[in-house]
Amino acid sequence: LQSRRFLWTRKLRPPGMGASEEAAAVRRLVEEFLEISMIPDPDRAAEFLAPGAVIFFTGKTEMSHPREMAAYNASRYKWVKKTLGQLDVAPADGMVVAYSTGTLFGEWLDGTPFDGNRYVDRFEIRDGKITRIDVWNDSAERLLKMQAASARE
């Protein structure tokens, strides 16, 4: 994992917990969720979600369970993994927001390998559980470019 930056204020920390402990706990939660999601182990990943959690993938595709994330990925990739980059954590309106950035690598459905596909995952966390995930990446743009190139051939 590359560099990490944590932005924090005192008001959202539980009593007795220092800012660095709190940031480390959020970092562990997000990193473990991402690692388990990439196995994929959707049922285990679901343990990190609060009841009623929502997941939005690129294009505002709404989901409620990591099983749907795995199925969505299976419709785009033969396989896909993440190279985790920076993780930023900040308090926001009674919750903690974490942004994970990095790149995707794997194989498209046709077997063509890819690497360096940028992503941003935004997590909203309340009471130690993920309540919302927003996922953005370059896959749609790359797929459109590949389709355009195929159409010209």
Side-chain angles (χ1 to χ4, degrees):
L1 300 175
Q2 297 172 4
S3 67
R4 303 264 190 253
R5 215 173 10 149
F6 293 96
L7 310 171
W8 215 259
T9 63
R10 202 174 226 351
K11 69 178 186 176
L12 291 178
R13 281 196 308 267
M17 181 181 274
S20 62
E21 294 170 310
E22 187 175 32
V26 170
R27 182 180 70 210
R28 280 191 305 274
L29 174 84
V30 170
E31 289 175 345
E32 192 171 348
F33 173 82
L34 289 171
E35 288 171 14
I36 291 168
S37 295
M38 286 286 101
I39 291 174
D41 187 345
D43 292 325
R44 191 162 156 223
E47 296 171 11
F48 292 79
L49 302 182
V54 292
I55 303 161
F56 291 103
F57 264 49
T58 303
K60 204 72 166 171
T61 302
E62 185 174 348
M63 305 171 197
S64 61
H65 193 281
R67 218 176 293 117
E68 294 168 277
M69 293 169 50
Y72 185 85
N73 284 341
S75 74
R76 286 187 157 200
Y77 315 106
K78 199 176 260 188
W79 63 272
V80 63
K81 302 292 179 203
K82 288 183 175 177
T83 300
L84 302 179
Q86 187 163 309
L87 180 60
D88 295 323
V89 179
D93 269 346
M95 67 180 139
V96 178
V97 175
Y99 288 89
S100 172
T101 61
T103 57
L104 302 175
F105 65 97
E107 285 184 23
W108 299 111
L109 290 176
D110 68 1
T112 304
F114 68 89
D115 194 4
N117 186 343
R118 300 171 306 159
Y119 81 85
V120 176
D121 292 343
R122 180 183 182 275
F123 297 85
E124 293 180 6
I125 301 158
R126 294 178 195 269
D127 301 320
K129 293 285 188 176
I130 299 166
T131 59
R132 179 183 174 121
I133 304 169
D134 290 285
V135 176
W136 297 279
N137 63 55
D138 289 337
S139 292
E141 184 67 21
R142 287 183 169 204
L143 288 169
L144 286 172
K145 286 180 180 179
M146 288 173 20
Q147 289 172 352
S150 292
R152 285 190 295 261
E153 293 175 0

